[in-house]
Amino acid sequence: MKNIGVIGAGHVGLVTSACFSKLGNKVICCDNDVEKIEKIKKFIMPFYEPGLEEIVKESVEKKLLSFTDSIYEVVKNSEIIFIAVGTPSTSEGKADLSYVENVTVEIANSLKKLVEIEKERKIYRLIVEKSTVPVLTSEWVKKTLQLLSPTGIEFDVAANPEFLREGSAIKDFFNPDRIVIGVESERAKKIFEEIYSPINCPKIFTDVKSAELIKHASNSFLALKISYINAIANICERVGADVELVAEGMGLDKRIGKEFLKAGVGYGGSCLPKDVSAFIHIAEELGYQFNLLKEVQKINSQQRLLIIKKAKELLWNLKDKNIGIFGLSFKPETDDIRQSPAIDIIDLLKKENANLKCYDPKAIENMKKIYPDIFYSYDPYEVANECHLLIFLTEWEIFKKLDFRKIKEIMKMPYIIDGRNFLDYKNLKSIGFIYRGIGRKVE
Ligand code: UGA
């Protein structure tokens, strides 16, 4: 059992805190958003993540997990301190590291206070970058701590990037493909070996810079895979081939793999778009033009436009047409709409003066904050009623179970665009729908 502190109660921080406490460690999770911390203490989670609330409740009851807004509390009680604060994009698309810097300064100040109070004791702290940060951030963290920390403190800085996916973050924490750990000392390595010993997977120990790079390189590669299959989908449409079959045939080659070869409206979320953009900037600052990734971004934006093109091909003019949007979150099993394809597509359809009606099992309240003037309903049939066209943008399982016969009867026109190629188009066709997927051959 170790004493672990986690700074940041966002998706990464809160899931990391909950999961380490589930493994029997004593964890303090800290966030400077007092209201958020108060709500978590009452078991109101700041976002939807399957299984999270249950673990938080269980660990708090066992006194293995607590919450605070004081970094000093974390520094005082935790040998290992994970920095899991946000690294949002600046207006130029670079990673904004000011939160990481502020937290580092506060850790140093807290160490000063601790040394004053606990004069005798030898203090060691392992400071770990958990958020996705540009390569060389650890150098800055180390420099800042060296400069501001009092003498008598021993510390290590390490990088342990997270690879959690929203919607399956708990599962991903306990069953990762690998754990990447960048360390500079045997002492730090031993601590990581201990805290991750219950997790059975390859653990790769590297230097800190390589660990930082592994995260950026991995997320950008995933984005590249998605844009690659979307480019193939465009070719499929032109020749009358089916991208689903092409992806299956490619994916069976172990060197390629079948994951992240799902064509559609393109990637979104708080990670891939931000990380690709940050990586392009990091490379540029290092004197390398990462044109490959620029093209990945371009293909991704074009997929949003493709939906509008398909809608126009079906409906001619979109002005005053009732269009139902099914799926607002950036992917299923989450209420997160950050960089969601739905935002771009709603924006484009609004410019065409279409009448929009939206349905999503979890993300309506979040989308209302951006587009308050659109019609929303938790009843999918109310949304489909009188629609000329339905556009599916997220592959929620419950969408597959809708009564499409009923939907066909209440719609004005029988048009469906499947932006995720997940609906049973043969069934839809037999009911009388005119179906369009992405790069999909529909006889
Ligand atoms: C991503 C990575 O998958 C995680 O490994 C990483 O830890 C995380 O970013 C992060 O950096 O924190 P996440 O953003 O939660 O996770 O979601 P993904 O499952 O990667 O999906 C991203 C987007 O790509 C979604 O919009 C999804 O619909 C889209 N996607 C995914 C496709 O369009 N096609 C695919 O084949 C796969």
Side-chain angles (χ1 to χ4, degrees):
M1 198 266 271
K2 285 275 178 199
N3 289 314
I4 295 176
V6 179
I7 302 176
H11 226 106
V12 175
L14 192 51
V15 170
T16 303
S17 303
C19 293
F20 272 125
S21 68
K22 176 92 181 155
L23 291 176
N25 299 288
K26 202 156 175 139
V27 182
I28 306 183
C29 177
C30 167
D31 202 291
N32 62 1
D33 183 340
V34 182
E35 202 182 317
K36 189 195 238 179
I37 287 293
E38 286 311 313
K39 280 191 176 162
I40 301 174
K41 281 182 183 169
K42 291 180 194 141
F43 305 124
I44 303 167
M45 298 299 112
F47 49 83
Y48 172 69
E49 182 62 46
L52 179 66
E53 193 181 319
E54 291 79 352
I55 298 183
V56 169
K57 269 187 189 155
E58 188 190 309
S59 292
V60 169
E61 273 154 25
K62 286 186 179 164
K63 301 212 176 326
L64 287 173
L65 179 60
S66 60
F67 297 94
T68 179
D69 58 1
S70 150
I71 289 189
Y72 176 68
E73 279 303 305
V74 170
V75 173
K76 183 177 156 212
N77 294 299
S78 323
E79 184 186 10
I80 312 152
I81 301 165
F82 286 97
I83 302 180
V85 292
T87 53
S89 285
T90 64
S91 53
E92 299 153 89
K94 293 183 185 175
D96 175 356
L97 294 175
S98 56
Y99 299 111
V100 177
E101 184 184 354
N102 291 346
V103 164
T104 310
V105 171
E106 276 217 49
I107 291 174
N109 290 340
S110 300
L111 285 169
K112 252 186 231 161
K113 199 165 145 192
L114 197 60
V115 166
E116 278 161 26
I117 296 170
E118 306 206 14
K119 287 192 182 68
E120 302 302 315
R121 215 159 57 92
K122 246 199 159 351
I123 297 168
Y124 170 79
R125 294 292 180 264
L126 173 57
I127 320 287
V128 190
E129 294 170 352
K130 194 73 181 155
S131 319
T132 305
V133 290
V135 63
L136 299 179
T137 302
S138 67
E139 301 277 301
W140 283 104
V141 171
K142 209 159 69 186
K143 254 190 232 166
T144 310
L145 287 172
Q146 271 161 353
L147 203 71
L148 300 178
S149 294
T151 45
I153 293 280
E154 284 179 41
F155 67 85
D156 276 305
V157 174
N160 172 216
E162 58 79 22
F163 297 97
L164 311 174
R165 288 164 301 174
E166 287 185 29
S168 57
I170 307 280
K171 207 173 109 232
D172 289 345
F173 183 94
F174 292 112
N175 308 285
D177 289 344
R178 77 313 201 179
I179 296 175
V180 174
I181 303 155
V183 279
E184 285 175 344
S185 77
E186 268 305 306
R187 188 177 191 173
K189 187 176 175 207
K190 282 217 167 67
I191 293 175
F192 278 111
E193 278 168 346
E194 189 182 334
I195 60 170
Y196 282 122
S197 63
I199 295 179
N200 189 16
C201 73
K203 287 152 202 167
I204 162 165
F205 284 94
T206 66
D207 60 274
V208 177
K209 285 176 220 165
S210 300
E212 289 173 330
L213 262 182
I214 287 171
K215 176 64 200 249
H216 267 295
S218 301
N219 269 9
S220 293
F221 190 76
L222 293 174
L224 182 141
K225 262 188 119 177
I226 298 169
S227 281
Y228 186 81
I229 201 65
N230 281 331
I232 301 291
N234 278 281
I235 312 249
C236 286
E237 291 198 354
R238 284 162 175 77
V239 298
D242 189 332
V243 73
E244 292 298 308
L245 299 175
V246 175
E248 194 186 338
M250 286 169 64
L252 286 170
D253 184 330
K254 286 199 195 76
R255 293 168 304 173
I256 298 173
K258 62 180 170 45
E259 301 288 333
F260 278 69
L261 280 185
K262 197 97 194 77
V265 286
Y267 59 80
S270 64
C271 304
L272 299 194
K274 172 172 77 77
D275 291 353
V276 169
S277 171
F279 206 19
I280 290 171
H281 280 93
I282 295 164
E284 208 159 276
E285 279 165 13
L286 296 169
Y288 180 74
Q289 288 297 325
F290 215 147
N291 292 328
L292 178 65
L293 287 187
K294 289 182 190 165
E295 205 53 38
V296 166
Q297 283 183 318
K298 200 165 140 195
I299 294 170
N300 201 49
S301 325
Q302 282 165 352
Q303 289 309 100
R304 314 308 205 226
L305 296 171
L306 186 63
I307 297 290
I308 310 303
K309 182 171 165 265
K310 284 178 188 288
K312 284 185 177 169
E313 277 164 10
L314 292 172
L315 294 178
W316 188 11
N317 293 302
L318 303 184
K319 185 168 180 280
D320 296 333
K321 297 276 167 53
N322 300 329
I323 299 183
I325 306 284
F326 277 56
L328 302 172
S329 55
F330 81 99
K331 67 175 188 179
E333 293 298 331
T334 176
D335 60 355
D336 195 343
I337 59 160
R338 284 175 290 174
Q339 305 285 316
S340 173
I343 296 178
D344 298 333
I345 287 161
I346 289 175
D347 191 40
L348 291 165
L349 289 171
K350 273 170 77 79
K351 284 187 185 134
E352 298 284 341
N353 291 313
N355 289 328
L356 298 180
K357 300 174 83 182
C358 298
Y359 167 62
D360 187 286
K362 294 276 177 202
I364 288 181
E365 294 313 312
N366 283 337
M367 194 59 95
K368 268 186 191 166
K369 290 176 201 155
I370 302 183
Y371 294 116
D373 55 339
I374 298 176
F375 176 85
Y376 297 91
S377 172
Y378 285 101
D379 176 357
Y381 302 100
E382 192 184 7
V383 167
N385 194 36
E386 301 276 294
C387 271
H388 297 84
L389 164 68
L390 300 186
I391 304 178
F392 287 80
L393 294 177
T394 317
E395 66 277 34
W396 283 96
E397 272 303 305
I398 56 162
F399 292 171
K400 289 189 193 163
K401 297 183 188 121
L402 290 168
D403 181 348
F404 280 103
R405 282 188 192 281
K406 179 173 166 186
I407 288 181
K408 162 88 179 20
E409 270 162 33
I410 57 179
M411 282 177 73
K412 266 194 177 157
M413 301 245 211
Y415 292 133
I416 284 185
I417 296 177
D418 177 1
R420 297 288 181 184
N421 287 356
F422 77 114
L423 295 173
D424 179 352
Y425 74 80
K426 286 193 179 134
N427 177 44
L428 293 176
K429 273 196 77 181
S430 72
I431 294 171
F433 279 105
I434 295 173
Y435 171 96
R436 294 286 180 273
I438 307 287
R440 213 171 187 191
K441 189 177 176 195
V442 185
E443 309 87 40

